[in-house]
Amino acid sequence: MDFNYSEEQLLVQKTAMEFARDHLLPGAVERDEKMEFPAEQIEMLGEMGFMGMMIPESWGGSGFDTVSYCLAVEEIAKADAATAVPVSVNNSLVCALLLKYGNEQQKEKYLKKLASGKLLGAFSLSEPQAGSDASNLLTSAVRDGDHYIIKGTKNWVSNGINSDLVMVFAVTEKGVGYKGISVFAVEKGIDGFSTGKKENKLGIRGSDTCELYFDDCRVPAENRIGKEGDGFSIAMTVLDGGRIGIAAQALGIAQAAMEKAIAYAKERKQFGIPISSFGAVREKIADMATGIASARLLTHRAAELKDQGKPFSKEAAMAKYSASEAAMSASTECVQIFGGYGYMKEYGVERLMRDAKITQIYEGTTEVQKLVIARSMLEEA
Ligand code: CAA
């Protein structure tokens, strides 16, 4: 593994950092407070090529590698983790799915627009009874001539409200478990497809999350992606890549927390000296720095394996597990270092703690990541 970033990777990181500093940080607290989607910022990120980063230019993307993508997502999340949600979902779940599994017609119709930021995508696998047990779907898609009729309820859909196109997983054959799941690209605005209310969340409040309702919704058969029954394996493969993006998002939150904690600890005096002189505070900073550095290595290793076309499922799970732990721990300890001030909204560190929590939950909980890692270790032994 080369520990030096290429000039291109560093340029991507710098561009993302400057954008985040100028366009994300200023309104982040307000958007969090008002649960306001960063629509203008997502449009700008699309124009800058950040919505289809790993998609070849011929399909409307910017053709960067996964390490560049991680560096960009980390910078974005460092300023505003809520904005990193639509970026991550569109890049690593929706565009990646279409690039790998879409046919030429589907790529021409949808991928070009999604990768260039003209459309925003969402990924809808979960249902009220199917979270970690992701194949336990009830939403059905029944073939009717050259259409499928989709019926059911999906939930926890990031970008659910603001997206133009949703990757919907549904059961096309009952009684055969995960082998009966297929995936469809479903356009917003078609009859029988509606969205629920915007969920009032603990963190990443600027991103939108909602339920989706399909009431005998007729979707053209040509919008099925891959073969009938391939849906679950498509979801799992795509989620492996998605987990690298969530790890990068978690790293951004953790890095922001550590930087804020260090700056405050050097400035804040108690008992006549800066609190950074106290062993208890130094220990927290050492733990933050070590947790972040090791999670970043795991994340970039998973990204590199993905780019090399090698298996990376276990490594992506390790990256997400370690980075989300680093984010939760660094943000909690940052609030602790800030003490009473940290508990107040105006100091802007409690937002990091609230935002960090979701990284241990979505795109596979910490417990699911451990299951993936342990299974892989036992199979290898
Ligand atoms: N890549 C490719 N195929 C995979 C795979 C992977 N990583 N993992 C499993 N599969 C395949 C298996 O090979 C198997 O197929 P074969 O029999 O043909 O080999 C099939 O899928 C079933 O696999 P399992 O028996 O392992 O399935 P399981 O039911 O035991 O589930 C699980 C395993 C890891 C728990 C999985 O269900 C899982 O990852 N759950 C979490 C789901 C998740 O991450 N949800 C997030 C949804 S998106 C979101 O968060 C919201 C948003 O808007 C971003």
Side-chain angles (χ1 to χ4, degrees), residues 6-62:
S6 69
E7 274 182 34
E8 185 178 82
Q9 288 165 342
L10 290 172
L11 182 63
V12 168
Q13 183 186 39
K14 183 169 177 280
T15 310
M17 185 270 287
E18 288 171 355
F19 177 84
R21 179 194 63 203
D22 299 341
H23 301 284
L24 295 179
L25 206 50
V29 170
E30 202 180 338
R31 285 193 299 276
D32 172 70
E33 193 85 23
K34 295 182 178 165
M35 299 201 315
E36 191 179 296
F37 187 78
E40 205 180 299
Q41 288 80 357
I42 290 299
E43 201 182 318
M44 288 167 84
L45 284 164
E47 284 161 11
M48 291 166 70
F50 281 101
M51 296 306 280
M53 291 189 69
M54 296 163 291
I55 303 301
E57 287 176 35
S58 53
W59 289 118
S62 20

Side-chain angles (χ1 to χ4, degrees), residues 173-374:
E173 187 182 351
K174 280 188 186 163
V176 292
Y178 69 85
K179 290 186 175 151
I181 295 172
S182 306
V183 57
F184 302 87
V186 185
E187 291 181 23
K188 278 288 190 54
I190 64 169
D191 280 353
F193 178 12
S194 58
T195 57
K197 68 172 181 8
K198 190 174 189 172
E199 302 287 2
N200 189 356
K201 306 192 294 278
L202 172 73
I204 54 160
R205 288 166 57 81
S207 72
D208 76 76
T209 308
C210 70
E211 289 190 332
L212 301 180
Y213 309 117
F214 297 93
D215 186 11
D216 289 336
C217 174
R218 288 177 72 81
V219 174
E222 64 191 28
N223 281 30
R224 192 192 68 230
I225 300 168
K227 295 202 293 287
E228 265 199 15
D230 281 356
F232 191 68
S233 130
I234 292 176
M236 290 297 110
T237 308
V238 169
L239 276 165
D240 281 341
R243 287 166 187 169
I244 298 176
I246 301 305
Q249 180 193 30
L251 284 172
I253 299 169
Q255 183 70 29
M258 181 172 69
E259 288 180 15
K260 280 177 190 288
I262 291 172
Y264 182 79
K266 284 165 98 172
E267 179 192 294
R268 170 78 169 162
K269 285 190 178 153
Q270 289 291 275
F271 307 101
I273 49 171
I275 61 169
S276 58
S277 314
F278 299 133
V281 172
R282 288 179 171 224
E283 198 179 311
K284 291 186 196 305
I285 289 167
D287 285 344
M288 287 182 196
T290 308
I292 293 168
S294 41
R296 191 177 285 120
L297 284 173
L298 284 173
T299 304
H300 293 182
R301 180 175 71 132
E304 213 171 75
L305 287 172
K306 176 173 172 282
D307 287 336
Q308 289 167 354
K310 293 182 180 159
F312 65 97
S313 180
K314 177 184 72 183
E315 288 76 10
M318 285 177 167
K320 183 178 181 286
Y321 167 37
S322 63
S324 57
E325 291 291 313
M328 201 64 240
S329 153
S331 58
T332 307
E333 293 297 22
C334 173
V335 171
Q336 189 69 18
I337 288 173
F338 272 68
Y341 293 115
Y343 207 68
M344 304 300 144
K345 281 192 176 274
E346 65 185 286
Y347 282 78
V349 293
E350 55 78 46
R351 175 170 63 94
L352 299 173
M353 197 172 134
R354 288 187 287 105
D355 287 350
K357 189 61 205 168
I358 192 63
T359 66
Q360 294 181 313
I361 299 174
Y362 64 7
E363 297 200 25
T365 60
T366 296
E367 291 72 15
V368 163
Q369 308 312 322
K370 288 184 183 177
L371 186 151
V372 170
I373 297 163

Side-chain angles (χ1 to χ4, degrees), residues 157-173:
V157 185
S158 305
N159 298 349
I161 292 169
N162 285 280
S163 54
D164 306 284
L165 187 76
V166 186
M167 300 297 144
V168 179
F169 294 82
V171 176
T172 42
E173 187 182 351

Side-chain angles (χ1 to χ4, degrees), residues 59 98-113:
W59 289 118
L98 277 166
L99 180 69
K100 196 167 166 84
Y101 300 103
N103 59 32
E104 297 288 300
Q105 198 191 348
Q106 291 163 341
K107 287 182 191 170
E108 190 63 47
K109 189 170 179 190
Y110 297 125
L111 182 57
K112 277 188 173 171
K113 289 183 186 155

